[in-house]
Amino acid sequence: MSVPLRPPALLTAPLLVLALLLTGCASSGSTAPVGAPGQGAAGPESDAASVLRSSPSAEEEPPSPAEIPGLGPSTLAEIPEDARQAFVVTGEDEDANRSSAVLYSREDPAEGWVAVAGPWDAHNGMEGWTDHHVAGDLRSPKGVYSLTDAGGRLPDPGALLPYDEHPRFAVDGEGFYGEPLEGSFDYVVAINYNRTEGVTPLDRTRPLGLERGGGIWIHVDHGGPTQGCVSIPEERMEELLRTLDPELNPVIVMADEETLGR
C-alpha cells in the first residue's frame, strides 16, 4: 500500500507531527465510561442508547402462557399435560350447592388456556363439596377427572364423545326443593369418578367400591341442588356435548373456590 505524501508544512514541522502522534484520536473519541464527568449520560439518539435498545438482554420477557383464573398451583398440577379442554366448575364455598362453570381450551400449550364458553350458572351437591365422597353424603367430589363418555334419553345432539341414547336415562320425582326431576338426564356426560372409562354412563362398575358412591355426571339442571352431580341448563348441555372433543382429552376441574385456589 502506498503512503500519501505529507503536506509540506508537516515535513518542516517535526515537533507538530510528534504532538499529533501522542494525542491520537482523543479529539473524536474517549475511553471514559458513559456518564463520566464531562461526558454526560447517553441520550435518546446516542450510539450507546441505540445499543441498549437493540440488545436482547434489554428486551422484555415474553408473557407467560395464560393460566386458568382462580386455579392455584396445586390444582393446575393435577391437570394432565395432554389435556386440551378443561371444564372448570367453581363452587361458591365448601358447603354451598351453587356454582359457576366455564369451559377452557388450549389448542397451543405455548399460548395457554382460553375461555371458550361460559360462565354458566350451575348446581352441585346439596351439601357442597368433599375430598372424600361416599355414597349418600350429598356432596360433590373435589378433583380433576377425565370426561370420556356421554349419553341421554334424547337423541344425540351432535356429541363428539361416544353417546349412548337409552330410555333408562328417564327420571321422575322431585328434587330437594320440590322441583320436578323429569328431563334431568336427557343429556349427560359421565365424570370419571369411581367408574370405568369407555363405557356408557349407565354402567354401574365401581372400582373404589360401592361405598364410595358413583354415577357422578354433568347433566341438565332441574332448578335445584343435586345428590353429587354437576348440573347446567339444557341448552348449555347441548353446547357442551358438541364441544367436548375426545381428541383434546377433556377434563372437569371441580371444587369450591377456596380449594381450587390452592
Side-chain angles (χ1 to χ4, degrees), residues 10-106:
L10 291 179
L11 293 174
T12 57
L15 292 178
L16 179 59
V17 173
L18 180 60
L20 288 172
L21 291 174
L22 290 175
T23 55
C25 297
S27 60
S28 61
S30 172
T31 58
V34 174
Q39 296 294 319
E45 303 304 325
S46 71
D47 291 341
S50 299
V51 170
L52 287 174
R53 285 198 302 269
S54 62
S55 172
S57 61
E59 294 177 358
E60 293 184 1
E61 292 293 329
S64 300
E67 299 290 4
I68 298 175
L71 300 192
S74 295
T75 303
L76 287 169
E78 293 183 40
I79 300 177
E81 292 185 3
D82 62 354
R84 297 291 179 266
Q85 288 179 320
F87 189 54
V88 180
V89 180
T90 306
E92 293 179 351
D93 62 58
E94 191 170 54
D95 298 321
N97 53 52
R98 299 190 66 89
S99 46
S100 177
V102 180
L103 179 63
Y104 292 88
S105 176
R106 58 172 178 182

Side-chain angles (χ1 to χ4, degrees), residues 5 17 33-34 58 73 80 111-112 123 160 171 190 206 217-218 225 235 251:
L5 296 176
V17 173
V34 174
E111 296 180 1
H123 280 100
L160 300 178
V171 63
R206 301 289 180 255
W217 298 342
I218 307 169
E235 64 272 19
V251 298

Side-chain angles (χ1 to χ4, degrees), residues 206-222:
R206 301 289 180 255
L208 300 177
L210 294 176
E211 69 279 3
R212 294 296 304 276
I216 306 296
W217 298 342
I218 307 169
H219 64 69
V220 176
D221 189 76
H222 47 74

Side-chain angles (χ1 to χ4, degrees), residues 132-137 193-194 206-214:
H132 187 81
H133 176 70
V134 294
D137 67 4
Y193 165 81
N194 197 19
R206 301 289 180 255
L208 300 177
L210 294 176
E211 69 279 3
R212 294 296 304 276

